[in-house]
Amino acid sequence: MQRMWLTKVRLSGSGKSDLAKAIRYALSRWEALVRYVGDGRLEMTNNAAERAMRIPVLGRKNYLFCGSDAGGQRAACLYTITATAKLNGLNPEAYLTDILGRIADHPINKIDALLPWVWTQ
């Protein structure tokens, strides 16, 4: 119903107006728009994903100097831990400082207590 109305309005007015441009934009992305309006869990934009990708992209040239494949893997692990801490609302520096200081004496069967989503200082 709304799609037909938008098409009718678009055809009745000037094709170069700002309103016509907005209607063309909405109609060209109709399927995604209907999905977004129908499911409140969906994000309107992918800005959060793009922001998350910004850190690796900015550091890309630095990754060339990890020294070896093993160094690159260690860097990837550290970036993953840091990003997970941030996603859980933690200060990554405080989190890493605490768990690195505790991990040697921490019982292996209770290692889950040091995960970012469980961790308490």
Side-chain angles (χ1 to χ4, degrees):
M1 183 79 170
Q2 293 87 354
R3 186 176 189 161
M4 288 176 23
W5 180 82
L6 284 173
T7 303
K8 189 176 179 181
V9 170
R10 180 179 53 101
L11 295 174
S12 68
S14 169
K16 294 185 178 188
S17 71
D18 288 341
L19 178 61
K21 290 177 187 175
I23 292 173
R24 274 195 306 276
Y25 181 83
L27 289 173
S28 70
R29 291 158 178 81
W30 188 258
E31 186 179 328
L33 177 63
V34 170
R35 190 177 312 127
Y36 167 72
V37 171
D39 188 347
R41 297 172 298 169
L42 298 176
E43 294 286 336
M44 183 182 284
T45 67
N46 66 344
N47 289 345
E50 288 181 7
R51 274 194 308 275
M53 289 303 300
R54 189 167 185 243
I55 294 170
V57 170
L58 290 175
R60 189 179 317 159
K61 289 183 182 178
N62 295 334
Y63 305 149
L64 295 173
F65 302 102
C66 288
S68 66
D69 287 346
Q73 289 174 346
R74 282 190 290 274
C77 288
L78 190 58
Y79 286 123
T80 301
I81 292 169
T82 303
T84 305
K86 285 181 184 179
L87 285 172
N88 284 279
L90 304 175
N91 175 347
E93 184 179 358
Y95 171 69
L96 285 171
T97 300
D98 183 59
I99 64 166
L100 290 175
R102 292 173 32 186
I103 200 162
D105 298 327
H106 199 79
I108 191 68
N109 61 344
K110 295 182 182 181
I111 203 74
D112 289 353
L114 298 180
L115 295 172
W117 49 90
V118 180
W119 177 75
T120 56
Q121 202 169 8

